[in-house]
Amino acid sequence: MGFFRRLFSFWKKRENTEEIRQEERRSFFLYIVRVPEIVTYLRREQGISRKNLELTLVDDAERPAYQIVQIAELLTADLNLLYIVTGRPEIFEELAEEAMEERGLLIVVFEEVPGERMPGNLALDIREWEKHLDIINTVSYNTMII
């Protein structure tokens, strides 16, 4: 009987961790799609014109590289200059070359130096991503119109 309880508790614990991982993955991907809208909103709030925008993207080393590259690719459509601050610059070399050839976009990749001032006039820090953006609400409400 004890074996079945342990097996059931292991299965339940595994199910809960899988649900949490699915929720994290889903929420991050929903944010990725919204990146251009978020940057436009932040740019307008700061009073920065589109042609004067120098965006800094701060990489999160804990996230898979393809997710950060996907965010950078979404941002390349409307920018003139993009700074990427990262601890893994080799990942963004191909993106920088493609952006220069296809769009004429200059992507400057910096090594992350703690305590140093960030370049650009608007920063998008992926490390603090989900703490500061309130786009996703996991609670659904039933409404009734009378």
mmCIF file of all heavy atoms in Angstrom, residues 16-36:
data_model
loop_
_atom_site.group_PDB
_atom_site.id
_atom_site.type_symbol
_atom_site.label_atom_id
_atom_site.label_comp_id
_atom_site.label_asym_id
_atom_site.label_seq_id
_atom_site.Cartn_x
_atom_site.Cartn_y
_atom_site.Cartn_z
ATOM 1 N N ASN A 16 2.248 18.426 -11.367
ATOM 2 C CA ASN A 16 2.247 19.832 -10.952
ATOM 3 C C ASN A 16 3.429 20.592 -11.537
ATOM 4 O O ASN A 16 3.278 21.716 -11.987
ATOM 5 C CB ASN A 16 2.260 19.948 -9.425
ATOM 6 C CG ASN A 16 0.930 19.541 -8.825
ATOM 7 O OD1 ASN A 16 -0.084 19.519 -9.508
ATOM 8 N ND2 ASN A 16 0.952 19.196 -7.556
ATOM 9 N N THR A 17 4.623 19.996 -11.537
ATOM 10 C CA THR A 17 5.794 20.686 -12.088
ATOM 11 C C THR A 17 5.659 20.853 -13.594
ATOM 12 O O THR A 17 6.073 21.865 -14.136
ATOM 13 C CB THR A 17 7.102 19.945 -11.753
ATOM 14 O OG1 THR A 17 7.024 18.602 -12.250
ATOM 15 C CG2 THR A 17 7.370 19.947 -10.275
ATOM 16 N N GLU A 18 5.053 19.873 -14.274
ATOM 17 C CA GLU A 18 4.837 20.006 -15.709
ATOM 18 C C GLU A 18 3.854 21.126 -16.010
ATOM 19 O O GLU A 18 4.027 21.872 -16.971
ATOM 20 C CB GLU A 18 4.356 18.690 -16.309
ATOM 21 C CG GLU A 18 5.432 17.646 -16.407
ATOM 22 C CD GLU A 18 4.928 16.331 -16.965
ATOM 23 O OE1 GLU A 18 3.742 16.262 -17.351
ATOM 24 O OE2 GLU A 18 5.717 15.383 -17.009
ATOM 25 N N GLU A 19 2.809 21.270 -15.179
ATOM 26 C CA GLU A 19 1.841 22.355 -15.372
ATOM 27 C C GLU A 19 2.517 23.710 -15.182
ATOM 28 O O GLU A 19 2.258 24.642 -15.940
ATOM 29 C CB GLU A 19 0.683 22.215 -14.393
ATOM 30 C CG GLU A 19 -0.261 21.097 -14.714
ATOM 31 C CD GLU A 19 -1.333 20.918 -13.654
ATOM 32 O OE1 GLU A 19 -1.409 21.759 -12.720
ATOM 33 O OE2 GLU A 19 -2.097 19.950 -13.758
ATOM 34 N N ILE A 20 3.383 23.825 -14.180
ATOM 35 C CA ILE A 20 4.093 25.085 -13.936
ATOM 36 C C ILE A 20 5.003 25.411 -15.104
ATOM 37 O O ILE A 20 5.046 26.543 -15.575
ATOM 38 C CB ILE A 20 4.887 25.011 -12.606
ATOM 39 C CG1 ILE A 20 3.917 24.960 -11.438
ATOM 40 C CG2 ILE A 20 5.841 26.187 -12.479
ATOM 41 C CD1 ILE A 20 4.567 24.629 -10.110
ATOM 42 N N ARG A 21 5.733 24.416 -15.604
ATOM 43 C CA ARG A 21 6.617 24.643 -16.757
ATOM 44 C C ARG A 21 5.819 25.061 -17.986
ATOM 45 O O ARG A 21 6.223 25.942 -18.725
ATOM 46 C CB ARG A 21 7.426 23.393 -17.054
ATOM 47 C CG ARG A 21 8.526 23.149 -16.066
ATOM 48 C CD ARG A 21 9.349 21.955 -16.463
ATOM 49 N NE ARG A 21 10.231 21.580 -15.380
ATOM 50 C CZ ARG A 21 10.605 20.351 -15.123
ATOM 51 N NH1 ARG A 21 10.180 19.357 -15.887
ATOM 52 N NH2 ARG A 21 11.414 20.098 -14.117
ATOM 53 N N GLN A 22 4.687 24.399 -18.223
ATOM 54 C CA GLN A 22 3.840 24.754 -19.362
ATOM 55 C C GLN A 22 3.352 26.185 -19.234
ATOM 56 O O GLN A 22 3.317 26.929 -20.200
ATOM 57 C CB GLN A 22 2.643 23.807 -19.469
ATOM 58 C CG GLN A 22 2.992 22.431 -19.958
ATOM 59 C CD GLN A 22 3.263 22.413 -21.449
ATOM 60 O OE1 GLN A 22 3.617 23.409 -22.068
ATOM 61 N NE2 GLN A 22 3.127 21.254 -22.038
ATOM 62 N N GLU A 23 2.958 26.592 -18.018
ATOM 63 C CA GLU A 23 2.476 27.957 -17.785
ATOM 64 C C GLU A 23 3.581 28.966 -18.038
ATOM 65 O O GLU A 23 3.364 29.992 -18.674
ATOM 66 C CB GLU A 23 1.954 28.081 -16.345
ATOM 67 C CG GLU A 23 1.387 29.432 -16.025
ATOM 68 C CD GLU A 23 0.120 29.728 -16.801
ATOM 69 O OE1 GLU A 23 -0.613 28.778 -17.140
ATOM 70 O OE2 GLU A 23 -0.134 30.909 -17.089
ATOM 71 N N GLU A 24 4.807 28.672 -17.547
ATOM 72 C CA GLU A 24 5.924 29.585 -17.783
ATOM 73 C C GLU A 24 6.229 29.706 -19.267
ATOM 74 O O GLU A 24 6.424 30.797 -19.785
ATOM 75 C CB GLU A 24 7.169 29.091 -17.047
ATOM 76 C CG GLU A 24 7.115 29.260 -15.563
ATOM 77 C CD GLU A 24 8.326 28.664 -14.876
ATOM 78 O OE1 GLU A 24 9.218 28.140 -15.586
ATOM 79 O OE2 GLU A 24 8.381 28.721 -13.647
ATOM 80 N N ARG A 25 6.272 28.562 -19.968
ATOM 81 C CA ARG A 25 6.581 28.588 -21.388
ATOM 82 C C ARG A 25 5.495 29.340 -22.151
ATOM 83 O O ARG A 25 5.773 30.162 -23.004
ATOM 84 C CB ARG A 25 6.695 27.159 -21.912
ATOM 85 C CG ARG A 25 7.151 27.131 -23.350
ATOM 86 C CD ARG A 25 7.398 25.763 -23.905
ATOM 87 N NE ARG A 25 7.636 24.742 -22.928
ATOM 88 C CZ ARG A 25 7.160 23.521 -23.007
ATOM 89 N NH1 ARG A 25 6.442 23.153 -24.034
ATOM 90 N NH2 ARG A 25 7.403 22.624 -22.076
ATOM 91 N N ARG A 26 4.240 29.084 -21.808
ATOM 92 C CA ARG A 26 3.133 29.743 -22.496
ATOM 93 C C ARG A 26 3.177 31.249 -22.267
ATOM 94 O O ARG A 26 3.034 32.028 -23.194
ATOM 95 C CB ARG A 26 1.800 29.175 -21.999
ATOM 96 C CG ARG A 26 0.612 29.759 -22.709
ATOM 97 C CD ARG A 26 -0.638 29.101 -22.246
ATOM 98 N NE ARG A 26 -0.822 29.297 -20.831
ATOM 99 C CZ ARG A 26 -1.838 29.956 -20.296
ATOM 100 N NH1 ARG A 26 -2.768 30.447 -21.058
ATOM 101 N NH2 ARG A 26 -1.933 30.107 -19.004
ATOM 102 N N SER A 27 3.401 31.663 -21.038
ATOM 103 C CA SER A 27 3.404 33.095 -20.751
ATOM 104 C C SER A 27 4.556 33.794 -21.449
ATOM 105 O O SER A 27 4.401 34.885 -21.975
ATOM 106 C CB SER A 27 3.447 33.350 -19.245
ATOM 107 O OG SER A 27 4.673 32.935 -18.703
ATOM 108 N N PHE A 28 5.737 33.180 -21.482
ATOM 109 C CA PHE A 28 6.868 33.820 -22.139
ATOM 110 C C PHE A 28 6.610 33.956 -23.632
ATOM 111 O O PHE A 28 6.900 34.988 -24.217
ATOM 112 C CB PHE A 28 8.154 33.040 -21.877
ATOM 113 C CG PHE A 28 9.379 33.804 -22.287
ATOM 114 C CD1 PHE A 28 9.874 34.801 -21.477
ATOM 115 C CD2 PHE A 28 10.017 33.543 -23.485
ATOM 116 C CE1 PHE A 28 10.994 35.529 -21.847
ATOM 117 C CE2 PHE A 28 11.127 34.249 -23.858
ATOM 118 C CZ PHE A 28 11.620 35.251 -23.039
ATOM 119 N N PHE A 29 6.046 32.938 -24.267
ATOM 120 C CA PHE A 29 5.773 33.023 -25.695
ATOM 121 C C PHE A 29 4.681 34.030 -26.011
ATOM 122 O O PHE A 29 4.703 34.671 -27.050
ATOM 123 C CB PHE A 29 5.451 31.647 -26.285
ATOM 124 C CG PHE A 29 6.668 30.799 -26.462
ATOM 125 C CD1 PHE A 29 6.813 29.622 -25.767
ATOM 126 C CD2 PHE A 29 7.683 31.193 -27.306
ATOM 127 C CE1 PHE A 29 7.942 28.849 -25.918
ATOM 128 C CE2 PHE A 29 8.814 30.431 -27.471
ATOM 129 C CZ PHE A 29 8.945 29.253 -26.770
ATOM 130 N N LEU A 30 3.717 34.200 -25.119
ATOM 131 C CA LEU A 30 2.718 35.237 -25.329
ATOM 132 C C LEU A 30 3.352 36.622 -25.253
ATOM 133 O O LEU A 30 2.972 37.531 -25.984
ATOM 134 C CB LEU A 30 1.597 35.114 -24.302
ATOM 135 C CG LEU A 30 0.636 33.954 -24.521
ATOM 136 C CD1 LEU A 30 -0.335 33.847 -23.359
ATOM 137 C CD2 LEU A 30 -0.120 34.105 -25.821
ATOM 138 N N TYR A 31 4.338 36.790 -24.368
ATOM 139 C CA TYR A 31 5.050 38.057 -24.283
ATOM 140 C C TYR A 31 5.875 38.320 -25.548
ATOM 141 O O TYR A 31 5.962 39.447 -26.003
ATOM 142 C CB TYR A 31 5.995 38.080 -23.079
ATOM 143 C CG TYR A 31 5.323 38.350 -21.772
ATOM 144 C CD1 TYR A 31 5.509 37.496 -20.697
ATOM 145 C CD2 TYR A 31 4.517 39.457 -21.583
ATOM 146 C CE1 TYR A 31 4.908 37.734 -19.478
ATOM 147 C CE2 TYR A 31 3.904 39.708 -20.374
ATOM 148 C CZ TYR A 31 4.109 38.847 -19.327
ATOM 149 O OH TYR A 31 3.518 39.086 -18.127
ATOM 150 N N ILE A 32 6.497 37.279 -26.085
ATOM 151 C CA ILE A 32 7.340 37.444 -27.271
ATOM 152 C C ILE A 32 6.544 38.059 -28.414
ATOM 153 O O ILE A 32 7.014 38.961 -29.098
ATOM 154 C CB ILE A 32 7.959 36.095 -27.697
ATOM 155 C CG1 ILE A 32 9.062 35.696 -26.725
ATOM 156 C CG2 ILE A 32 8.528 36.178 -29.101
ATOM 157 C CD1 ILE A 32 9.658 34.330 -26.988
ATOM 158 N N VAL A 33 5.339 37.593 -28.618
ATOM 159 C CA VAL A 33 4.506 38.103 -29.706
ATOM 160 C C VAL A 33 4.187 39.591 -29.502
ATOM 161 O O VAL A 33 4.051 40.343 -30.452
ATOM 162 C CB VAL A 33 3.211 37.273 -29.810
ATOM 163 C CG1 VAL A 33 2.269 37.851 -30.835
ATOM 164 C CG2 VAL A 33 3.541 35.834 -30.145
ATOM 165 N N ARG A 34 4.102 40.019 -28.268
ATOM 166 C CA ARG A 34 3.728 41.392 -27.944
ATOM 167 C C ARG A 34 4.903 42.364 -27.871
ATOM 168 O O ARG A 34 4.685 43.550 -27.600
ATOM 169 C CB ARG A 34 3.021 41.407 -26.588
ATOM 170 C CG ARG A 34 1.767 40.611 -26.553
ATOM 171 C CD ARG A 34 0.652 41.530 -26.737
ATOM 172 N NE ARG A 34 -0.617 40.881 -26.478
ATOM 173 C CZ ARG A 34 -1.691 41.252 -27.086
ATOM 174 N NH1 ARG A 34 -1.649 42.224 -27.939
ATOM 175 N NH2 ARG A 34 -2.827 40.650 -26.829
ATOM 176 N N VAL A 35 6.122 41.923 -28.105
ATOM 177 C CA VAL A 35 7.306 42.772 -27.936
ATOM 178 C C VAL A 35 7.226 44.071 -28.738
ATOM 179 O O VAL A 35 7.467 45.144 -28.185
ATOM 180 C CB VAL A 35 8.594 41.985 -28.257
ATOM 181 C CG1 VAL A 35 9.784 42.902 -28.397
ATOM 182 C CG2 VAL A 35 8.857 40.974 -27.183
ATOM 183 N N PRO A 36 6.914 44.054 -30.033
ATOM 184 C CA PRO A 36 6.850 45.331 -30.755
ATOM 185 C C PRO A 36 5.836 46.312 -30.170
ATOM 186 O O PRO A 36 6.098 47.512 -30.100
ATOM 187 C CB PRO A 36 6.468 44.925 -32.182
ATOM 188 C CG PRO A 36 6.937 43.519 -32.306
ATOM 189 C CD PRO A 36 6.741 42.915 -30.949
#
